[in-house]
Amino acid sequence: MAVRWLCSLFGKPFDGGKRMDHGGPQQQQPHPHPHPMEAQQQPYHPQHPAMMRLYEVQKEVASLGPQVCTFSGLQHDRDYKRLERELTRLQLEVDQVDTEGKPELQGARKRAAQEVEGLLRYLEENASHPSRVAIEELSNEARRLVDEKVVAPQRAGGVAEINDELVDALQELVLKLTQVKTEGRVPLRKARYRALTRLCAVQDVIEGRTQQQTLSLPLSGDTHEAVHRINQVMVKVSVARSQLVALLMGLSGRDSCAHLSRILTEMQVELDALDVSGNAAVRNYRKQVVEEINGLLKHLDLEGEGDDTRRYDLAQNNSIREIEAVRAHVSHLREGVLRHCLMGDLTFRPKAELQSLLMHLDQVDTAKNPCIREARRRAVVEVQAVITFLDLREALARRYPGPTEHPSHRAVWMVLGSLSDLQAQVLGFDGKRADKSYMMLEELLTKQLLMLDAVDPQGDETTKMARKQAVKFAQNILSYLDMKTDEWEY
């Protein structure tokens, strides 16, 4: 049946409704023989009413398949209830087909029932999957935060509480969303991507507002007769900004993207009609307000965001391919560095090559896609880990302590020597958090931090600075080890 490859096309093959493959997209292998139901069309009851009704059910299932396979909502969503209702209806219709006790008709009915049951199960599994619940919980946390700090104060006639604390809190939620596991499921990838794009758009709007607060605007009405009208528009823009944030976070009530788009467009028309010729300051003021309106308008096309699989299925994304190519190159260089260090050879120092890879990563176009940005960040961390390892090895090789060296300073360097050896093991580690080697490395790194904490600088400023840098170095190694084992996926 067509539905057997529908979900394969959208990333999830069916197995007769009995078992769902939770892996990534797979290519359906061609059947060496015709499908059993198709085989019935020739010698067995081609015009039998039961068989014809099953064919009709097959067509309806085939039309519902793509909708089920890309549905990314929850069980209380209207589309979920519609799909569940339609599939349940088909299930009942299949059950009511009279097979007259004929084996070929019974087999066809059983296969049709399995296809419908498989779609129902797939729909329910994704809508109630722990990762889908986690995405919704993070989205709700973001909604509460934005409502409390931005939307509610604006609606009450006050001023939105936009500060660095709010920006940092939103960024933390973005990072948590990027770390939600999707197991390669299209609906989960789609849900995660839609949540991320909206939250990142809110970040852009809020951070844009943070920048505006630092400007010496609005201008005085005495400057030009048009300034008063521009000031009025700027007040409307401030209100529209809050409305946009509410829309993006699902806090808008009766507002809609189309309505807000009309309001912003009317503001642009009003500004365009102003005569500001002859006054550069007023002209620049108007230009800035127009640019801010354009910045809000660009976020109003998110209503259908996430429907395009190229956006959230990044396996074929060119930027991801660039990042993966850099990671492969880094892996090759890292193996070479570790191999030479094991032999005591410090002549292999590909720092220039590693620095060029950092520059390459900096030029990768992320298209403001949070998953691509996180993939690039991780690649940068991998490059920096090798560079810092080489830097410490070189520093240890050049170190010639004098007789007057402070004992506490010497103790810090001893810890740094141990950290260098541990970092070599971390760089070469390729396992999971449940592995004994992971737990051993984590414990040894924690012990080095405790040893640094026990170092008493005794007022020596050089030792204080060295210990501070060593603590940061140890923490970075721990973070890198965690990153290597957190099974993140884009």
Side-chain angles (χ1 to χ4, degrees):
M1 290 175 70
V3 74
R4 288 182 179 275
W5 53 264
L6 277 172
C7 278
S8 178
L9 184 63
F10 285 89
K12 293 292 167 205
F14 272 97
D15 186 12
K18 301 175 185 177
R19 174 185 63 84
M20 194 66 62
D21 189 340
H22 293 169
Q26 301 178 11
Q27 183 163 352
Q28 188 74 15
Q29 296 298 323
H31 294 289
H33 304 290
H35 190 279
M37 184 173 285
E38 293 170 0
Q40 305 302 325
Q41 294 179 5
Q42 298 176 5
Y44 302 111
H45 313 286
Q47 300 300 322
H48 194 284
M51 187 63 75
M52 295 185 69
R53 181 58 199 134
L54 290 174
Y55 289 149
E56 291 300 319
V57 170
Q58 174 188 353
K59 291 179 182 177
E60 291 190 63
V61 171
S63 68
L64 290 173
Q67 300 175 53
V68 171
C69 293
T70 58
F71 175 75
S72 60
L74 299 163
Q75 288 179 306
H76 59 71
D77 291 353
R78 184 168 56 184
D79 279 345
Y80 178 93
K81 293 178 179 178
R82 175 184 61 81
L83 289 168
E84 184 183 42
R85 186 169 57 250
E86 290 294 318
L87 289 169
T88 302
R89 176 182 60 80
L90 291 175
Q91 199 173 40
L92 291 173
E93 290 188 15
V94 169
D95 288 343
Q96 292 170 359
V97 170
D98 183 8
T99 63
E100 301 174 359
K102 297 179 179 179
E104 62 271 18
L105 292 177
Q106 290 175 339
R109 185 177 69 176
K110 181 180 178 180
R111 286 187 293 274
Q114 287 175 341
E115 295 288 357
V116 178
E117 182 186 349
L119 282 177
L120 271 169
R121 186 182 300 118
Y122 187 69
L123 180 68
E124 181 182 358
E125 283 179 354
N126 287 303
S128 60
H129 193 279
S131 291
R132 184 63 187 88
V133 174
I135 292 168
E136 190 64 17
E137 288 176 349
L138 290 169
S139 298
N140 287 336
E141 187 178 345
R143 289 189 192 100
R144 287 192 295 269
L145 182 64
V146 171
D147 189 25
E148 177 187 349
K149 301 293 186 182
V150 182
V151 178
Q154 186 78 33
R155 286 176 177 167
V159 178
E161 189 180 342
I162 299 172
N163 50 36
D164 290 341
E165 183 180 346
L166 173 61
V167 172
D168 292 343
L170 291 174
Q171 180 59 28
E172 184 179 351
L173 289 172
V174 167
L175 290 176
K176 286 182 179 179
L177 275 169
T178 62
Q179 292 166 2
V180 172
K181 305 297 185 293
T182 65
E183 302 176 3
R185 294 171 178 245
V186 168
L188 298 181
R189 289 205 304 268
K190 182 177 178 180
R192 185 181 67 174
Y193 179 70
R194 288 173 67 87
L196 279 167
T197 51
R198 280 157 176 73
L199 190 50
C200 287
V202 169
Q203 273 188 303
D204 285 344
V205 174
I206 287 177
E207 289 175 359
R209 173 58 180 164
T210 304
Q211 294 168 3
Q212 290 294 325
Q213 289 173 335
T214 65
L215 298 172
S216 57
L217 296 176
L219 296 177
S220 169
D222 299 332
T223 307
H224 192 282
E225 60 183 8
V227 169
H228 177 65
R229 293 179 64 183
I230 300 176
N231 288 344
Q232 289 179 323
V233 172
M234 195 171 180
V235 172
K236 295 178 184 177
V237 170
S238 180
V239 174
R241 186 186 299 107
S242 180
Q243 291 174 336
L244 174 59
V245 169
L247 276 168
L248 292 170
M249 298 307 296
L251 302 165
S252 58
R254 293 180 299 174
D255 293 335
S256 68
C257 289
H259 175 67
L260 184 56
S261 179
R262 285 194 298 271
I263 292 175
L264 291 169
T265 303
E266 288 171 2
M267 292 182 198
Q268 286 183 319
V269 172
E270 183 178 350
L271 290 172
D272 288 341
L274 292 178
D275 181 12
V276 295
S277 58
N279 192 313
V282 178
R283 191 163 57 248
N284 288 335
Y285 179 27
R286 182 181 68 174
K287 179 182 177 182
Q288 181 177 314
V289 177
V290 168
E291 288 176 350
E292 187 167 352
I293 293 173
N294 287 332
L296 298 180
L297 281 169
K298 74 179 182 180
H299 293 301
L300 285 172
D301 61 353
L302 289 176
E303 199 64 32
E305 188 67 65
D307 292 333
D308 184 352
T309 56
R310 290 173 297 178
R311 295 294 188 107
Y312 56 83
D313 188 4
L314 299 176
Q316 303 303 317
N317 182 277
N318 288 332
S319 295
I320 288 292
R321 284 177 169 177
E322 281 188 68
I323 293 169
E324 289 300 318
V326 169
R327 292 185 66 231
H329 195 169
V330 173
S331 179
H332 175 72
L333 292 176
R334 181 174 60 236
E335 290 174 3
V337 167
L338 293 176
R339 186 168 58 253
H340 283 79
C341 285
L342 186 64
M343 297 184 295
D345 180 11
L346 298 179
T347 59
F348 183 67
R349 293 176 292 191
K351 286 180 63 176
E353 198 169 353
L354 290 165
Q355 291 289 354
S356 69
L357 291 177
L358 282 179
M359 293 177 62
H360 187 165
L361 287 170
D362 189 54
Q363 295 170 359
V364 171
D365 180 17
T366 64
K368 293 190 175 181
N369 184 309
C371 293
I372 300 178
R373 283 193 297 203
E374 177 64 8
R376 184 176 68 176
R377 184 191 72 81
R378 286 169 169 264
V380 168
V381 170
E382 290 185 17
V383 178
Q384 289 174 336
V386 182
I387 291 176
T388 55
F389 174 73
L390 289 170
D391 287 343
L392 182 57
R393 283 281 178 171
E394 291 175 12
L396 288 167
R398 293 196 307 265
R399 173 173 155 74
Y400 296 105
T404 59
E405 184 180 41
H406 197 285
S408 298
H409 193 256
R410 187 181 302 111
V412 172
W413 273 100
M414 288 180 65
V415 173
L416 285 170
S418 299
L419 287 174
S420 177
D421 294 336
L422 288 173
Q423 189 182 20
Q425 296 179 51
V426 171
L427 286 171
F429 179 78
D430 184 21
K432 298 181 179 181
R433 293 188 183 183
D435 296 350
K436 289 183 179 180
S437 53
Y438 170 87
M439 291 184 278
M440 180 192 69
L441 283 171
E442 188 180 43
E443 182 180 352
L444 290 172
L445 288 166
T446 303
K447 283 183 178 178
Q448 298 305 314
L449 279 170
L450 293 174
M451 290 178 66
L452 288 170
D453 189 55
V455 172
D456 183 5
Q458 300 176 2
D460 185 69
E461 292 299 324
T462 304
T463 302
K464 285 182 180 179
M465 185 177 297
R467 186 180 69 170
K468 183 179 180 180
Q469 292 175 341
V471 167
K472 184 177 180 181
F473 184 73
Q475 290 172 338
N476 286 342
I477 298 174
L478 272 169
S479 298
Y480 177 62
L481 179 62
D482 285 341
M483 190 194 80
K484 290 187 75 172
T485 56
D486 64 7
E487 300 178 2
W488 181 80
E489 60 184 14
Y490 51 75

